[in-house]
Amino acid sequence: MLAPMPKTKTLSDGNVMPTLGLGTWKSRPGEVKAAVHAALRAGYRHIDCAWIYGNEAEVGDGLRAAFDEGLVTRDEVWITSKLWNDAHRPEHVEEACRDSLTKLGLERLDLYLVHWPVAHTRGTMMPETRGDFVTLDEVPLAETWGAMERLVDAGLARSVGVSNLDAKRLAALSEGARIRPTVNQVELHPYLQQPALLEAATALDVALTAYSPLGSRDRAASMKADDEPVLLEDATLAAIAEAHGATPAQVCIAWAIQRGTIVIPKSVNEGRIRQNLEATQLTLSADEMARVAQLDRHRRYVDGTFWTDGESPYSLAELWGE
Ligand SMILES: NC(=O)c1ccc[n+]([C@@H]2O[C@H](COP(=O)([O-])OP(=O)(O)OC[C@H]3O[C@@H](n4cnc5c(N)ncnc54)[C@H](OP(=O)(O)O)[C@@H]3O)[C@@H](O)[C@H]2O)c1
């Protein structure tokens, strides 16, 4: 008998995070309240949010409805949010966190992440000119991190972490930290497995959360390559799914949890929300895990070019450490 899928992961600071969460990027304000409510009703205990998704108030409405109905208590749910790139300066971090808390209707977050190792001037959502960017020499990540640590001291976030950090930056930030990053949220799926990053993070006792675990097909056309392979149409995933009476999406989710990562598939469809949770019941054999390992092709769907195009002082080589 194979071990049952772990439902939670204990982070380096002792906090216990559910391994499956609901993603909310691109979930429109009009639909995300129902999605959050449906997820909590189905049994999800983890919602992944971010200030930049522009829907935290509606996520908060969904949470409040669930709390009011007695579906779950606040303490039973893990809520993650993320610091946007325009608030990296230490004096802006608490204000940005409080803004997310107000929108979500919460007093504290379970996890607050630095969304990207990219900084903008305050008030710039998406940079258009060189003047909209701030370099990491001007506002080092370590300084932003100091302000993140103070959020834990102040009780505004139980755990703090990062997102989109390569292994080198993760190690450097961990070394100098008073409170070490607990989580690095990065793109991970069978076409972008990042085994070296997983190994490096594990050695640092940093948990990896897998974003875009289903291949993020609902990204804007401007973010997609014409020739991009469609993860959920992969023949090997389809064959493994068929053997279990499951779907390729469920195979991706089960694979992510079985390799020790946390996973946050996005859906606003009640049936798929339930289907994704049911994937936690699926156990892949060692042979199936090995077949999925063969699918790696280093395909980034969220490729970061939106931070490096035009007049940007940032480069992809620096961003991904590749
Ligand atoms: N930290 C970061 O920089 C970062 C970047 C990207 C994403 N994220 C986080 O990770 C979450 C997930 O990533 P993502 O939104 O990019 O993409 P994803 O979860 O890989 O894919 C979402 C797409 O898959 C569809 N889908 C969901 N369940 C399905 C199923 N069982 N079968 C078939 N299709 C299914 C969804 O459609 P329906 O909604 O119609 O079901 C949607 O089109 C985000 O929502 C966000 O919370 C973080």
Side-chain angles (χ1 to χ4, degrees):
M1 269 293 277
L2 288 162
M5 299 271 273
K7 291 222 170 342
T8 58
K9 192 165 181 89
T10 302
L11 304 179
S12 62
D13 61 4
N15 288 329
V16 178
M17 180 171 180
T19 48
L20 178 84
L22 179 75
T24 62
W25 176 37
K26 308 172 264 68
S27 300
R28 284 192 290 271
E31 54 194 15
V32 77
K33 176 184 172 186
V36 167
H37 190 263
L40 294 173
R41 198 170 49 234
Y44 285 65
R45 293 295 178 262
H46 167 189
I47 312 288
D48 184 77
C49 314
W51 185 88
I52 194 64
Y53 300 163
N55 56 10
E56 287 192 314
E58 293 78 11
V59 169
D61 290 342
L63 292 173
R64 201 162 25 258
F67 298 154
D68 289 349
E69 281 170 36
L71 211 53
V72 285
T73 64
R74 169 67 188 95
D75 288 346
E76 289 168 339
V77 188
W78 181 279
I79 309 293
T80 300
S81 184
K82 312 186 191 90
L83 177 81
W84 190 234
N85 303 354
D86 75 325
H88 272 216
R89 287 193 190 277
E91 63 271 27
H92 295 143
V93 171
E94 180 173 330
E95 172 188 304
C97 178
R98 285 188 183 280
D99 193 30
S100 279
L101 285 170
T102 302
K103 291 189 162 79
L104 290 163
L106 302 176
E107 288 180 1
R108 60 164 172 73
L109 293 166
D110 296 288
L111 177 63
Y112 197 47
L113 306 176
V114 179
H115 205 148
W116 285 92
V118 171
H120 312 160
T121 54
R122 189 76 174 131
T124 299
M125 303 297 95
M126 291 301 289
E128 284 168 14
T129 66
R130 172 65 187 84
D132 293 335
F133 283 99
V134 178
T135 67
L136 295 185
D137 290 333
E138 292 167 280
V139 186
L141 276 180
E143 287 184 14
T144 306
W145 189 253
M148 296 289 283
E149 293 172 329
R150 290 192 286 281
L151 297 179
V152 178
D153 300 336
L156 297 177
R158 292 171 65 216
S159 293
V160 282
V162 292
S163 179
N164 294 301
L165 252 61
D166 71 315
K168 203 167 141 207
R169 279 192 173 136
L170 187 62
L173 196 64
S174 294
E175 251 165 50
R178 175 168 61 86
I179 300 174
R180 295 158 66 94
T182 53
V183 167
N184 185 20
Q185 184 178 121
V186 294
E187 181 175 336
L188 288 173
H189 45 70
Y191 286 174
L192 183 73
Q193 303 192 12
Q194 309 211 59
L197 179 58
L198 180 56
E199 195 179 325
T202 305
L204 291 165
D205 201 8
V206 176
L208 289 191
T209 297
Y211 79 58
S212 304
L214 308 180
S216 197
R217 277 304 281 168
D218 58 343
R219 281 167 301 137
S222 59
M223 287 183 73
K224 288 186 191 164
D226 294 338
D227 62 343
E228 79 177 30
V230 179
L231 178 66
L232 295 185
E233 292 175 3
D234 183 273
T236 301
L237 295 177
I240 295 172
E242 200 184 345
H244 289 274
T247 66
Q250 289 180 311
V251 173
C252 290
I253 293 165
W255 171 82
I257 298 177
Q258 237 169 289
R259 76 195 290 248
T261 62
I262 296 155
V263 63
I264 47 171
K266 172 264 176 190
S267 181
V268 290
N269 173 281
E270 187 162 2
R272 288 189 286 275
I273 286 171
R274 272 192 272 106
Q275 181 192 122
N276 295 345
L277 179 67
E278 283 160 12
T280 60
Q281 307 297 318
L282 178 63
T283 303
L284 305 181
S285 68
D287 173 62
E288 288 166 337
M289 290 297 286
R291 282 161 66 201
V292 178
Q294 296 292 319
L295 300 178
D296 198 4
R297 57 183 77 180
H298 206 72
R299 162 62 64 165
R300 281 185 196 282
Y301 289 116
V302 180
D303 66 8
T305 48
F306 36 87
W307 304 134
T308 59
D309 284 349
E311 300 170 16
S312 169
Y314 289 84
S315 74
L316 283 183
E318 217 184 9
L319 181 62
W320 301 127
E322 292 166 349

